[in-house]
Amino acid sequence: MSNLPFIDLKAQYAALKPSIDARIQAVLDHGQYIMGPEVKELEEKLAGYVGSKHCITVSSGTEALLIALMALDLKPGDEVITTPFTFAATAEVIVLLGGVPVFVDIEPDTCNIDVTKIESAITSRTRAIMPVSLYGQVADMDEINAIAARHGNLPVIEDAAQSFGASYKGKKSCGLSTFGATSFFPSKPLGCYGDGGALFTNDDALAQAAREIRVHGQSQRYTHTRLGVGGRMDTLQCAVVLAKLERFDWEIEQRLSLGDRYQQLLIDLPVQRLAVRSDRNCVWAQFTVLLDGRPNIQQALQAAGVPTAIHYPRPLHLQPAYSTYGRGETHVHSESAGQRVMSLPMSPDLTHEQQDRVISELAKALKA
Ligand SMILES: *Cc1c(COP(=O)(O)O)cnc(C)c1O
């Protein structure tokens, strides 16, 4: 049997080809490759979708996080509380600005930051809290916002690179805190055909700062009011996202129902399913389970044409580039998850037949 795709971007393109091609052609025709009309159109649509006053598109999810911290004026030595069980970009941007990531362990059942451990990590140097909405499930933002409010109104940045489209207590991811930062990397829930990202905020001054930082700190052309970066998202990528928005609601429905179906099909297998809290959903940027004996299972699935991935094998406090920030602490749940997580094929175009094949191969591999 042929190999299954891990993420089926070809089926998505086939379904959207007329609109994507037309959108790209329109950009080629008007030729405004940087800050063309599609940039503003996308920012307005995404702000409306999220329910946030401002959307600022940027060149990647990493850049979104970096620009958020720059807009908040993070200074060398400032501490930012975050999770070690995430993609490196989350902590990377803190360190790039001279800041210090302070890692707080995750909940073993959701793999999101354990909010009960945040308060004891706050010091007089803490300048922000940066939770990650991992796998597409929003972190406990209300509780994090409440902690932030109790400690001098600390800003909260949601790393929502994996959770665009997810809901939390009736609201959308990205619109839940000081800043929401997302990514349009092709494999994310809302992806473009290259790099892209966006920042969301309701704060006018922070939005203005982020817009300036995105173009080298310019408040007007050639007036560099502050330090910035080259962080624009290009018009072609905005055009691709605009076309993809056409069926995005359907894609989110698919992700939710395929995720539920996976969870059901897994009930009788010896794997730990990710917990999804009842007041939110998970859009399954990755459909991830936890299990023991992962190397053998992965190998057996690979041989059966079922690709898997690990998000993420080694938590950041154990990475060479970040180990000096770990204060020598262990984060047992992050370390255990690093050994046990495994992601299965997931995308809106995954068919039930493909999903059944994944589950039956997984069941075989678990028995072997
Ligand atoms: C993908 C991702 C990022 C970085 O986004 P890019 O667009 O690739 O720069 C940051 N944080 C998390 C949790 C991610 O999954």
Side-chain angles (χ1 to χ4, degrees):
M1 267 221 259
S2 64
N3 286 2
L4 286 178
F6 187 66
I7 295 178
D8 197 347
L9 293 177
K10 284 187 186 149
Q12 187 194 45
Y13 175 58
L16 288 167
K17 182 171 165 44
S19 3
I20 290 177
D21 290 3
R23 280 282 187 177
I24 289 176
Q25 190 59 51
V27 177
L28 297 176
D29 289 339
H30 68 54
Q32 296 177 58
Y33 297 117
I34 298 292
M35 298 309 274
E38 286 80 2
V39 178
K40 189 154 182 263
E41 185 185 350
L42 180 63
E43 290 179 346
E44 285 172 1
K45 289 216 167 114
L46 294 181
Y49 180 87
V50 162
S52 179
K53 194 163 172 200
H54 303 280
C55 168
I56 302 107
T57 56
V58 294
S59 53
S60 70
T62 306
E63 216 64 11
L65 294 168
L66 180 70
I67 291 172
L69 290 178
M70 289 177 78
L72 292 166
D73 207 16
L74 194 82
K75 295 262 195 310
D78 286 348
E79 295 177 357
V80 179
I81 292 175
T82 190
T83 158
F85 194 61
T86 178
F87 182 59
T90 315
E92 187 175 49
V93 293
I94 301 168
V95 176
L96 277 173
L97 296 173
V100 178
V102 173
F103 296 120
V104 167
D105 205 3
I106 54 171
E107 302 170 331
D109 59 344
T110 65
C111 294
N112 275 334
I113 193 166
D114 183 344
V115 294
T116 65
K117 294 183 177 147
I118 290 178
E119 221 148 12
S120 60
I122 294 178
T123 72
S124 59
R125 308 224 56 156
T126 306
R127 276 286 291 127
I129 307 175
M130 202 195 284
V132 177
S133 296
L134 200 72
Y135 304 138
Q137 175 173 206
V138 174
D140 203 348
M141 296 302 288
D142 274 3
E143 188 52 35
I144 295 167
N145 287 331
I147 294 168
R150 283 204 290 278
H151 292 269
N153 279 322
L154 288 169
V156 177
I157 303 162
E158 183 195 7
D159 180 343
Q162 301 182 9
S163 61
F164 193 83
S167 302
Y168 173 87
K169 303 187 184 180
K171 295 191 208 139
K172 287 273 193 266
S173 175
C174 286
L176 302 165
S177 58
T178 317
F179 272 119
T182 197
S183 162
F184 304 126
F185 187 84
S187 63
K188 309 284 172 158
L190 182 60
C192 60
Y193 285 168
D195 279 310
L199 265 179
F200 297 84
T201 184
N202 288 322
D203 185 305
D204 295 342
L206 288 177
Q208 180 61 25
R211 286 188 192 282
E212 292 178 11
I213 293 164
R214 172 174 70 173
V215 278
H216 307 285
Q218 293 181 107
S219 48
Q220 292 169 42
R221 195 159 200 204
Y222 300 128
T223 302
H224 301 272
T225 310
R226 54 172 83 238
L227 208 59
V229 295
R232 291 165 301 220
M233 178 164 167
D234 57 67
T235 314
L236 278 168
Q237 297 304 341
C238 290
V240 170
V241 176
L242 279 167
K244 289 215 188 175
L245 279 179
E246 275 174 30
R247 61 162 215 174
F248 188 61
D249 287 341
W250 174 84
E251 290 194 359
I252 290 293
E253 285 307 312
Q254 283 290 104
R255 288 181 173 281
L256 297 176
S257 72
L258 288 165
D260 282 349
R261 192 165 184 272
Y262 256 143
Q263 296 280 59
Q264 285 299 319
L265 293 169
L266 285 165
I267 281 181
D268 297 325
L269 299 186
V271 301
Q272 181 191 334
R273 298 174 301 163
L274 206 73
V276 179
R277 302 280 182 248
S278 59
D279 55 5
R280 66 203 83 166
N281 59 23
C282 184
V283 295
W284 305 110
Q286 286 86 31
F287 185 86
T288 303
V289 298
L290 298 106
L291 43 72
D292 299 319
R294 183 178 64 193
N296 291 337
I297 306 287
Q298 271 200 300
Q299 218 168 21
L301 288 174
Q302 185 63 39
V306 176
T308 57
I310 301 173
H311 304 96
Y312 297 91
R314 207 205 282 197
L316 298 185
H317 66 287
L318 300 179
Q319 294 283 357
Y322 302 99
S323 55
T324 50
Y325 301 103
R327 295 173 177 171
E329 294 154 357
T330 53
H331 298 291
V332 287
H333 299 308
S334 299
E335 289 167 30
S336 163
Q339 302 284 320
R340 299 181 67 232
V341 287
M342 186 178 83
S343 305
L344 301 173
M346 182 66 176
S347 46
D349 294 285
L350 187 73
T351 64
H352 286 185
E353 294 69 36
Q354 290 175 323
Q355 204 174 25
D356 291 342
R357 183 174 150 200
V358 172
I359 293 296
S360 79
E361 294 298 345
L362 177 61
K364 267 192 247 168
L366 286 162
K367 267 204 205 108

